[in-house]
Amino acid sequence: MKRTLLTGNGAAAWGARLAGVDYIPAFPITPQTEIIEAIANWADSGEISGRMVTLESEHSMITAAGAAAATGVRVFTATSSQGLLYGMEMLYTVAGWRAPFVLVNVSRGLSAPITLEPDHNDILAARDSGFLQIHCATCQEVLDSILLAYRLGEDERVRLPVIVNMDGFYLSFTREPVEIPNQDVVNRFLPPYDPENISFRASQPTSQAVAVLGGGPYSYFRYEMHLAAQKSIEVFDKITRQFSEEFGRSYDAVEAYRTEDAEFIFVMIGSFATKAKEAVDRLRDAGRAIGLIRPRLLRPFPEAQIRRLLNGKKGVAVIDQNLSMGKGGILYTEIASALYGQPDAPPILVSFIGGLGGRDISQEEFFEMANNIRRAVEEGSAPPPRLLYTEGEMKEVRKLQAMANVERQM
Amino acid sequence: MDETRFKRIKDLPSTHILGTGTAMCAGCGGLEAVHEVYDILGEKTVFVNAAGCMTLLSIYPFTPFRGSWLYTAMASAPAGAQGIRDALDILLEKKRIPRDEDMDVVVLTGDGSAYGMGLSATSGAMERNLDFIYLCYDNEGYGNTGQQYSSATPHAARTSTSKGPKGFPGYKKDLFSIWVAHNPLYVATVLGAEPLDLARKIEKAKELKGPRLIIALSPCPTGWDFDPSESVEIGKLAVKTGIWPLKEYIDGKVVHTKVPDRRLPVEEYLKKQGRFAHLFSPKRNDKLIGEIQESVDKYWKGI
Ligand SMILES: Cc1ncc(C[n+]2csc(CCOP(=O)(O)OP(=O)(O)O)c2C)c(N)n1
Ligand code: SF4
Ligand SMILES: [Mg+2]
């Protein structure tokens, strides 16, 4: 075991290296590139035995990843944003092949307008693809989650590919102290890939991913995937327990921070939850009974854990770093559906949209959101969803617009 | 390789290894080509398929293949081949499977994929020098969706998206030359109705290691509008009129493998197909027929 400073991207590359991946189909996109560059260098220098191939698109990259996994090797790949969406047809397709592999997504806002900075619309567009999703908040968690993801996806009760998600810039380019576990401990935790009955061999001819006729067989196979994904919550719990025995770090499906005696809760996914934790501490210092929950798993959706943590609370603020046009925050909708009809559900659920395209969420804004939930609880009604946006930002945009107008007239 | 096992028709395999009773139309020229190719390649193959008519060969729980099959999507069958080939190589290299578990990886797509949506993936596979065979059955349209025009549709053909009096206004893309420009190991055109020429080419391709790409013109009774019993005859006419040149690219040279002594007029081929009926009735369109003849003449003058 060694402790070193690694970026989120560096941690992802190490995760793949420790998992002993055989095959790495790749395609570059900011802010993911450092992952595949690190792996390419290791492959060139012989430090890893895995073979890396750069495809001509993410659509092809995900096809090759799925096809190689279906042939029986351990596969790793990584992308971000436009790349994830470019490959979207294949995300859905290869998930149906039931051949597990791990894909790291480095979240980045989607075009248009084009940006390099993060939010979660890319990863949430893959929500219903059949890939399981693990969301990370620290660089250590990125490395560890990749090991967990292989165990989870390859489990005979699951057999689904897994996306490990981290935020671009805030994690991908941020150096944090990371413990790199010893290879022999990793090997104990993560045995070699067993393709079971999914493989292509001359002696065992097989037709994979064939057509079906009619809704009967189609529904059957699709629902099987759903059941496997649901089952994976239980499997995840078992695996994380073993992980914490081996490595001394534990990863519940939902991270709970100072929730026990809390009356109010923030709900967030990803690295901005670290900012929320800081706000929770400061609010606690001021005597406010507030806490945070951060679902690590988004698919499968850890409904029971979320209910357990939120039922009985007075008010909850869901902070979404994404926007479903014409509806609002996606996480908000998911949390609401988990709580609806629960006898002990929190009466107030408030939706905030923030952190789009890398926009920061300030401590003051967390305090303001805390005030908002408290007020809503006192008044007994939740305010409409709000976008976190300051007057200063509005002025800045107005200035840009004025400049654009001048440019146009020149 | 100059020595061929296939000197005359009776040298061709007499039994087919592809199962019968598939969902393909009667007289399907594409299926004919797949049969003939599969007989030469043998069972140790894994077909990687893109969306098209042939996708319906394997419908759960049935498959006519004695070897393996993976359906991918319309655009990325060559990338699927890349994943399988690389994975097999890794398994062989790491000695996790014995040599005799290896297979030929064969991409099977229609023209819609090959000439259009999947071209970038094919280009990438060639550039990476992937060891695979690409078999494109070219029925000159998006057959599975009802024969809309594709970039393989010939000039003037009626399709379900070109029903006007002049038919398809565009021209068939020269995929053979596009592939050849990548300088892969082997490229060939074939036709199910010319089984000896086809067998020799597939035999040759099978022995090579690298990108080997084959286009099979595939007369399609449903999309081209002719009686299934005419399928072979129409295929032969495509060669005799010079519309479908049989050729191969190997060692940096293009060689025509069957040059018609005296080319028949193109109308012999056109008039047999409903998709060109508007060239002959209610009034003969000499100008369009002439244009098609000219382009064929020009091709043969150029070789
Ligand atoms: C991404 C995508 N777009 C469209 C389709 C619909 N589609 C299915 S088969 C097909 C036609 C394919 O044409 P071709 O490759 O020539 O094969 P053919 O149907 O003629 O056998 C189309 C357009 C699809 N399956 N996937
Ligand atoms: S539509 Fe044409 S290519 Fe498709 S199965 Fe029928 S005959 Fe064959
Ligand atoms: Mg076609």
Side-chain angles (χ1 to χ4, degrees):
Chain A
M1 186 181 73
K2 75 177 186 216
R3 214 173 151 76
T4 179
L5 278 179
L6 283 184
T7 60
N9 281 341
W14 266 102
R17 173 172 171 158
L18 290 165
V21 297
D22 294 305
Y23 188 50
I24 309 101
F27 194 85
I29 180 166
T30 306
Q32 153 268 33
T33 42
E34 191 191 345
I35 302 175
I36 61 166
E37 284 169 4
I39 291 175
N41 288 337
W42 289 334
D44 282 347
S45 65
E47 280 171 87
I48 61 169
S49 69
R51 180 186 297 199
M52 187 178 126
V53 176
T54 300
L55 278 293
E56 68 293 326
S57 76
E58 291 84 355
H59 191 279
S60 283
M61 174 185 93
I62 296 168
T63 308
T71 310
V73 299
R74 186 173 278 159
V75 179
F76 175 83
T77 186
T79 188
S80 171
S81 181
Q82 305 302 123
L84 191 71
L85 265 77
Y86 195 81
M88 190 60 75
E89 180 190 24
M90 297 320 292
L91 282 184
Y92 276 74
T93 304
V94 300
W97 297 356
R98 306 298 299 273
F101 65 93
V102 173
L103 181 156
V104 165
N105 183 63
V106 187
S107 264
R108 165 182 150 187
L110 292 169
S111 182
I114 189 142
T115 181
L116 295 176
E117 298 194 51
D119 68 35
H120 295 152
N121 264 109
D122 60 352
I123 182 67
L124 290 173
R127 186 190 60 179
D128 305 330
S129 63
F131 274 69
L132 306 180
Q133 293 194 3
I134 304 178
H135 289 251
C136 303
T138 68
C139 296
Q140 182 74 58
E141 202 178 344
V142 170
L143 188 156
D144 293 347
S145 294
I146 290 171
L147 305 178
L148 286 166
Y150 279 107
R151 271 294 296 274
L152 182 65
E154 292 174 5
D155 190 282
E156 60 178 7
R157 290 157 290 185
V158 181
R159 307 293 297 178
L160 287 168
V162 186
I163 298 179
V164 173
N165 198 67
M166 72 169 116
D167 291 311
F169 292 80
Y170 289 88
L171 271 197
S172 70
F173 298 157
T174 303
R175 266 171 213 286
E176 291 177 353
V178 173
E179 239 173 64
I180 300 177
N182 285 343
Q183 187 68 59
D184 51 332
V185 186
V186 173
N187 293 349
R188 206 158 53 216
F189 174 73
L190 179 66
Y193 176 41
D194 174 6
E196 294 180 32
N197 56 350
I198 297 183
S199 66
F200 290 112
R201 303 283 179 273
S203 66
Q204 292 155 297
T206 173
S207 290
Q208 294 195 42
V210 300
V212 292
L213 291 183
Y218 183 80
S219 308
Y220 176 85
F221 290 116
R222 298 293 287 178
Y223 209 79
E224 279 260 280
M225 282 171 74
H226 171 60
L227 293 177
Q230 282 199 319
K231 187 85 187 165
S232 72
I233 296 199
E234 194 185 307
V235 176
F236 185 79
D237 284 346
K238 285 209 183 87
I239 292 171
T240 48
R241 239 172 286 140
Q242 198 193 333
F243 187 92
S244 98
E245 278 160 27
E246 293 283 4
F247 301 94
R249 291 182 292 278
S250 45
Y251 294 105
D252 292 337
V254 183
E255 182 189 9
Y257 187 69
R258 304 186 81 166
T259 52
E260 232 137 72
D261 58 339
E263 296 178 342
F264 307 101
I265 303 281
F266 290 132
V267 183
M268 293 190 84
I269 52 174
S271 64
F272 275 34
T274 310
K275 299 170 190 284
K277 277 188 190 170
E278 194 188 325
V280 164
D281 288 343
R282 289 168 66 179
L283 285 159
R284 285 274 179 176
D285 291 345
R288 308 275 285 272
I290 194 159
L292 163 94
I293 68 163
R294 175 174 71 87
R296 280 199 179 88
L297 287 183
L298 200 84
R299 281 295 178 273
F301 193 57
E303 206 152 50
Q305 290 91 326
I306 288 171
R307 283 180 185 149
R308 207 178 312 124
L309 289 163
L310 294 185
N311 280 346
K313 306 299 183 198
K314 289 184 174 163
V316 172
V318 183
I319 305 161
D320 267 288
Q321 278 172 267
N322 65 78
L323 185 53
S324 171
M325 313 302 165
K327 177 65 177 89
I330 294 169
L331 189 59
Y332 169 75
T333 320
E334 301 253 311
I335 300 288
S337 79
L339 296 178
Y340 183 81
Q342 293 289 304
D344 210 12
I348 294 295
L349 189 63
V350 191
S351 167
F352 294 96
I353 309 287
L356 297 184
R359 181 200 182 271
D360 195 15
I361 301 179
S362 69
Q363 290 297 300
E364 289 68 33
E365 284 172 322
F366 280 109
F367 304 154
E368 180 60 24
M369 287 188 275
N371 289 339
N372 261 252
I373 351 175
R374 191 170 63 177
R375 210 176 308 127
V377 169
E378 282 162 12
E379 289 168 2
S381 83
R386 274 178 74 182
L387 175 72
L388 304 180
Y389 209 67
T390 61
E391 262 172 45
E393 283 173 296
M394 194 66 204
K395 270 196 201 132
E396 187 58 30
V397 168
R398 291 284 179 250
K399 213 161 79 192
L400 294 174
Q401 285 177 318
M403 280 155 62
N405 274 329
V406 172
E407 286 288 318
R408 191 180 297 158
Q409 276 146 30
M410 287 211 317
Chain B
M1 187 179 56
D2 297 326
E3 265 317 295
T4 171
R5 287 197 283 138
F6 306 111
K7 298 210 170 65
R8 51 192 98 74
I9 288 284
K10 75 177 201 14
D11 298 334
L12 294 172
S14 55
T15 50
H16 286 323
I17 61 170
L18 187 78
T20 52
T22 65
M24 302 303 104
C25 312
C28 173
L31 185 63
E32 184 189 22
V34 172
H35 263 295
E36 294 172 13
V37 169
Y38 199 31
D39 286 342
I40 312 288
L41 290 180
E43 295 170 20
K44 277 190 167 191
T45 46
V46 47
F47 281 92
V48 188
N49 175 240
C53 287
M54 298 297 157
T55 301
L56 297 181
L57 284 174
S58 294
I59 300 176
Y60 187 79
F62 303 110
T63 181
F65 292 97
R66 294 205 198 166
S68 292
W69 166 272
L70 176 70
Y71 169 71
T72 54
M74 193 168 164
S76 57
Q82 180 88 43
I84 295 178
R85 184 65 265 158
D86 285 342
L88 286 171
D89 286 344
I90 289 164
L91 291 166
L92 289 166
E93 204 178 286
K94 296 188 175 175
K95 301 208 162 38
R96 281 192 247 157
I97 57 169
R99 277 270 140 224
D100 60 3
E101 289 288 27
D102 196 15
M103 282 175 287
D104 282 324
V105 183
V106 184
V107 167
L108 175 66
T109 85
D111 51 285
S113 263
Y115 285 69
M117 202 188 271
L119 190 49
S120 156
T122 315
S123 173
M126 282 190 273
E127 169 246 310
R128 293 185 295 268
N129 203 32
L130 182 66
D131 178 26
F132 79 126
I133 293 176
Y134 193 132
L135 174 61
C136 164
Y137 61 97
D138 181 358
N139 63 359
E140 307 194 312
Y142 299 120
N144 190 241
T145 40
Q147 196 70 5
Q148 298 80 14
Y149 63 75
S150 74
S151 46
T153 299
H155 189 53
R158 187 193 69 213
T159 67
S160 34
T161 41
S162 58
K163 288 187 171 163
K166 291 183 182 156
F168 178 56
Y171 294 84
K172 190 178 175 77
K173 196 187 269 180
D174 184 1
L175 184 64
F176 181 89
S177 299
I178 293 170
W179 280 352
V180 163
H182 289 75
N183 194 24
L185 216 49
Y186 188 71
V187 185
T189 60
V190 300
L191 184 75
E194 295 288 351
L196 209 51
D197 178 77
L198 180 146
R200 288 176 186 152
K201 286 170 176 167
I202 303 302
E203 179 192 34
K204 194 178 286 180
K206 186 172 163 54
E207 296 309 313
L208 301 170
K209 207 170 145 58
R212 295 147 289 163
L213 303 95
I214 316 283
I215 319 176
L217 182 72
S218 301
C220 165
T222 313
W224 298 4
D225 188 10
F226 62 79
D227 189 85
S229 62
E230 301 245 63
S231 204
V232 171
E233 180 57 20
I234 286 176
K236 285 189 181 303
L237 280 169
V239 175
K240 287 181 188 158
T241 55
I243 283 200
W244 189 247
L246 292 172
K247 54 187 170 180
E248 64 186 357
Y249 170 82
I250 189 166
D251 299 331
K253 281 194 306 279
V254 176
V255 178
H256 284 75
T257 52
K258 190 159 186 169
V259 184
D261 304 333
R262 270 207 359 262
R263 274 184 284 118
L264 296 177
V266 292
E267 62 175 284
E268 297 300 315
Y269 172 73
L270 303 176
K271 71 183 182 200
K272 283 196 167 282
Q273 306 172 46
R275 63 174 174 159
F276 293 112
H278 54 289
L279 301 185
F280 302 96
S281 73
K283 232 182 89 210
R284 207 183 139 87
N285 190 335
D286 280 317
K287 187 165 165 281
L288 255 181
I289 299 169
E291 259 180 50
I292 295 168
Q293 184 66 59
E294 237 171 77
S295 74
V296 171
D297 293 345
K298 196 168 148 215
Y299 173 87
W300 288 100
K301 216 174 278 161
I303 67 159

